[in-house]
Amino acid sequence: MTSTPTAVPPPNLATSATGPTGARDFDFLMGPWHIRNTRLVQRLAGCTEWETFDATGYARPLPGGIGNYDDFIAAAWKPGYVGMSLRVFSPAAQRWSIYWLDNATGGVDAATGLLQPPVVGGFADGKGIFNGRDVLGGRPILVQFEWSLMHTGAPRWQQSFSADEGHTWEMNWVMEFSRPV
């Protein structure tokens, strides 16, 4: 689904749910989750076919309040695949950096051996917006993560890509979280 972009102002972190410091913004995510995934089969290719699959995840804090990490296991989607998000908070910048790692690529640039660039951002007005740059099929793209419904007990994450510097965006992955029963 391609849409006209909406202007996304930088987060006003002073109005974050946690006050002037956002170091605890992801506390809502700690613990075990059932994750319902809806994912566009091909990205930035005019595809309209979506796949749906379930996954499990478990989020844990990093020592010293520097961030958190979670695992992502979708055994029926890709047997043996394991992914994880690593979220690190910068008190000085009042921003989060989110890295994606998995056992397919390690989350590492093959040429340099360095971690792939993160998406960076924060929370304001009931949403978390995180932006970054990536490469898809050899072409540079923009990536945006959006967290919403954080304090409902059923948070939602979505990912969108732009191949035209943010003029249009294609949402390509939605994760709906619920606590396991």
Side-chain angles (χ1 to χ4, degrees), residues 19-92:
T21 178
R24 298 192 60 158
D25 281 338
F26 279 101
D27 282 3
F28 71 91
L29 196 58
M30 297 302 104
W33 293 97
H34 171 267
I35 307 164
R36 183 68 168 176
N37 293 267
T38 306
R39 182 179 178 272
L40 195 58
V41 173
Q42 293 181 355
R43 294 145 182 213
L44 295 178
C47 180
T48 59
E49 182 183 351
W50 292 82
E51 62 183 338
T52 302
F53 59 93
D54 293 324
T56 61
Y58 199 105
R60 297 165 179 85
L62 290 169
I66 63 172
N68 58 72
Y69 69 100
D70 63 31
D71 56 49
F72 176 85
I73 300 169
W77 176 57
K78 286 188 178 179
Y81 180 83
V82 176
M84 71 173 285
S85 296
L86 172 64
R87 299 176 196 87
V88 181
F89 185 72
S90 167

Side-chain angles (χ1 to χ4, degrees), residues 70-122:
D70 63 31
D71 56 49
F72 176 85
I73 300 169
W77 176 57
K78 286 188 178 179
Y81 180 83
V82 176
M84 71 173 285
S85 296
L86 172 64
R87 299 176 196 87
V88 181
F89 185 72
S90 167
Q94 290 290 298
R95 296 280 188 265
W96 286 92
S97 294
I98 304 174
Y99 299 87
W100 177 253
L101 312 168
D102 61 44
N103 62 343
T105 68
V108 175
D109 180 282
T112 66
L114 299 173
L115 286 176
Q116 294 284 356
V119 292
V120 178

